[in-house]
Amino acid sequence: MADGTALEPVLVVDEGLGNTCYLLDLGDGGALVVDPPRDLRALRAALRKAGLRIRFVADTHLHADFLSGASQLAHDDGAQVLASAAGHRRFGHRGFVDGDEVDLGGLVLTAMGTPGHTDEHLSFLVGDGGSPVGVFTGGSLIIGSAARTDLLGPERTEELARAQFRSLQRLSALPGQTAVWPTHGAGSFCSAPSGAERTSTIGRELATNPLLAIQDEDRFVEQLLGSLGSYPAYFLRLSEINRRGPTVLDPGATGRIPQLPVPAVRRLLTDGAVLVDARPVADYARAHVPGAVSIPLRAQFATWLGWLVPADTPIVVVRNPDQDLAELIWQAVNIGVERIVGELAGGTEAWAAAGHPTAGTRLLGPAEIDKRHRVLDVRQDAEFSAGHLPGAVHVELGSLAQAAAALPDAPTVVMCGHGERAAGAASLLERAGHHDVAVLEGGPDDWSDATGRDLVRAP
C-alpha cells in the first residue's frame, strides 16, 4: 500500500468445494469481500479476528458451484454489492462494465471484463497509487490453468473457450509482480489442477501455467476443452438462483432440523424421500437402513449430496451423535439444498429396535480381492487414467445411479481413492437391486502395494 505495507487479503478457503473467498482490509476499519459463499461462518470469524466491518462485497461471476453470500451481506451488514451489469442480478447491486472503478478509500478497484468461464465474468484489479497490486480473477486465470467454459451449454463451450483465451492474454499483460487471487482452486469441479497453492503472481503464472504458454487460439481451445471433466448436475441450477439472489437466511434458525421417530421416517421414505447416511464408512458398512445413500460427512459432503440426490427430493439424514449437524446443514444450504426435512431420531439403532431390518456392506482389504470379484472403479476419468486395477470396470460415481440398472448383478468390489465414494457407490448399487457388493478399504496404490502388481495407466 502507499504506506509501504504489503497488500495481502485474508483467504477463507472452502476445501470441500475448492474455492477461496477473500477479505481485504481497506485500512479504515472497513473491508472488501470477494466471492463470499452462502455459508458465512468462516468469513464472520475472520472479520471478528481482524476487527473489520464489510463495506463492499464483489462477485466475479454468477457462481454455478455455490450460492453467493453477497445478498445476505447486503442485508445483514449494509454492504454495497459490486457485480457485472451483464449478470442482470435481480437484487440491489452496483452493476459494473469493463473499466468501471470504485474508490475503496485509497485503493481503487477496477473492473476488467474477462469472459470465458461465464459470459458476464469480471476480474477485479486492485490499484494503489496508480499501480496494479493484485487482481481477483475468479474463474478466469487460476493457478496453473483456467476454469472450465462449458457451464452455459455445449453450444457455447467453444465460443467461451475462445473468450477465455483472450481474457487470459489480457490478464497476463499485467505487471509480473501483480498478485493473482483466484476463486476456484484445487478440488473445484469448475476445474483446477491439484496443488496446495491458492494464490500466485502474473509472473509466476507466465513461467508455470501451460495455458499461458500457448499463443495460438485454436491450440488453446483444444487444450482447455480436452481437460474438462464431469461436473455435478446442480451446477446447472445455481447460477440462476444467484442471479435472483438466494433467499436471505436467519442464521440462528439454520442448523436445526426436526428429530423424526421411526414411523414418520418410514412414511417419508414410502412417499419418495431419500435417507442420507452421513456416518463414517465403517459405521454405514456395519449396519444401515436398507436403501440409504451413503455420503459420509466430510469436507466434500455438499458436492456428493448435490450430485447423488435428485433435486427437490425430500431428505432425511442419519448421523452419529458426535457429528456436527450444523456443519451438515450449512454444507447443504451452501449449494441450495434446503429440503432436509429431519433426521432419524436414535439413528440406525432406533430403526433396528423398532423391529425393522438393517443391511450390511462388506469392507475388503486390498489383498482380499480375488478373481471372482468384478472391480468397479468410481473415480473421475482423470484419476482412472492415472492408474487403475487390471480389468477394472469404470463408471464415475456421478453417473452410477443411471448406469446401475445396466450393470450385471454379480459379485462386485467398489473402489475409489480411499473408500468414501466407494461406499456411496455401493449404496446406489444396493438401491438398484444389486446383492453381492463390497467396498475396498483404500485405493489403487494400496492394492498395488499389497499385491506387488502394477496399475494400468493410460498411454
Side-chain angles (χ1 to χ4, degrees):
M1 299 178 68
D3 61 3
T5 305
L7 186 66
E8 295 184 0
V10 175
L11 279 60
V12 181
V13 179
D14 183 333
E15 299 287 353
L17 297 181
N19 293 322
T20 303
C21 165
Y22 295 90
L23 172 63
L24 183 64
D25 185 345
L26 301 180
D28 60 356
L32 165 71
V33 172
V34 179
D35 286 344
R38 199 181 193 195
D39 178 2
L40 295 168
R41 293 175 301 162
L43 176 62
R44 293 288 189 202
L47 282 162
R48 288 193 296 270
K49 183 177 180 180
L52 297 173
R53 58 181 175 81
I54 300 175
R55 290 176 54 206
F56 301 97
V57 54
D59 265 345
T60 58
H61 59 289
L62 289 166
H63 306 289
D65 54 334
F66 66 93
L67 291 185
S68 170
S71 57
Q72 186 80 38
L73 291 174
H75 175 272
D76 294 348
D77 300 67
Q80 182 177 24
V81 178
L82 313 174
S84 170
H88 303 294
R89 289 164 174 81
R90 299 175 191 168
F91 58 93
H93 69 286
R94 177 174 171 183
F96 271 42
V97 298
D98 182 63
D100 281 352
E101 296 181 350
V102 60
D103 184 353
L104 302 179
L107 300 172
V108 174
L109 193 71
T110 304
M112 297 180 66
T114 48
H117 181 46
T118 64
D119 54 5
E120 41 71 55
H121 191 286
L122 291 178
S123 295
F124 288 99
L125 179 66
V126 180
D128 184 18
S131 299
V133 177
V135 58
F136 297 104
T137 57
S140 187
L141 177 61
I142 61 178
I143 308 304
S145 189
R148 66 188 316 136
T149 62
D150 58 346
L151 296 179
L152 300 185
E155 69 281 358
R156 298 201 60 195
T157 298
E158 182 176 332
E159 168 204 343
L160 290 172
R162 294 186 182 279
Q164 189 77 296
F165 172 78
R166 294 186 289 273
S167 293
L168 263 63
Q169 292 283 307
R170 184 181 187 192
L171 288 166
S172 66
L174 292 169
Q177 70 272 19
T178 307
V180 174
W181 300 315
T183 300
H184 299 312
S188 169
F189 279 94
C190 281
S191 280
S194 60
E197 295 296 322
R198 292 282 170 182
T199 65
S200 186
T201 65
I202 293 296
R204 190 184 310 157
E205 290 306 300
L206 282 168
T208 61
N209 189 323
L211 289 179
L212 292 186
I214 302 174
Q215 298 302 309
D216 178 78
E217 184 174 313
D218 290 336
R219 194 159 71 85
F220 174 94
V221 170
E222 180 182 5
Q223 181 73 21
L224 179 61
L225 299 188
S227 69
L228 299 180
S230 59
Y231 60 85
Y234 68 83
F235 277 29
L236 301 176
R237 298 186 294 109
L238 297 195
S239 59
E240 183 55 33
I241 299 175
N242 280 324
R243 190 188 312 277
R244 297 196 304 265
T247 303
V248 172
L249 299 172
D250 174 5
T254 305
R256 299 192 299 269
I257 55 175
Q259 297 286 310
L260 302 176
V262 171
V265 172
R266 281 176 53 83
R267 287 193 296 271
L268 284 165
L269 298 181
T270 299
D271 291 340
V274 170
L275 187 67
V276 171
D277 194 322
R279 297 175 300 155
V281 172
D283 295 334
Y284 167 83
R286 188 177 303 114
H288 56 266
V289 175
V293 178
S294 174
I295 308 176
L297 180 58
R298 55 185 181 129
Q300 295 78 21
F301 175 78
T303 292
W304 295 110
L305 179 70
W307 208 331
L308 301 184
V309 179
D312 303 322
T313 301
I315 295 170
V316 179
V317 297
V318 177
R319 65 180 174 106
N320 286 336
D322 61 350
Q323 290 181 296
D324 186 352
L325 179 60
E327 173 65 19
L328 184 155
I329 295 173
W330 272 113
Q331 283 205 41
V333 165
N334 212 27
I335 63 163
V337 175
E338 299 177 39
R339 56 188 185 277
I340 299 179
V341 296
E343 70 170 312
L344 174 57
T348 306
E349 293 78 8
W351 182 272
H356 303 301
T358 61
T361 303
R362 288 181 301 138
L363 299 179
L364 297 183
E368 296 181 84
I369 299 177
D370 58 39
K371 292 182 178 179
R372 79 182 186 93
H373 293 116
R374 175 185 58 188
V375 175
L376 177 63
D377 191 323
V378 296
R379 296 175 298 155
Q380 302 300 107
D381 284 344
E383 295 175 282
F384 184 78
S385 297
H388 57 267
L389 274 62
V393 176
H394 179 228
V395 180
E396 286 192 1
L397 175 55
S399 303
L400 186 60
Q402 293 73 35
L407 294 173
D409 184 11
T412 301
V413 177
V414 190
M415 64 170 296
C416 59
H418 301 94
E420 289 89 356
R421 285 177 288 173
S427 70
L428 295 179
L429 291 175
E430 291 175 6
R431 282 174 62 85
H434 292 245
H435 297 89
D436 191 351
V437 180
V439 168
L440 176 66
E441 294 186 285
D445 290 334
D446 299 298
W447 175 86
S448 181
D449 291 343
T451 62
R453 297 179 61 188
D454 291 333
L455 298 173
V456 178
R457 304 183 192 278

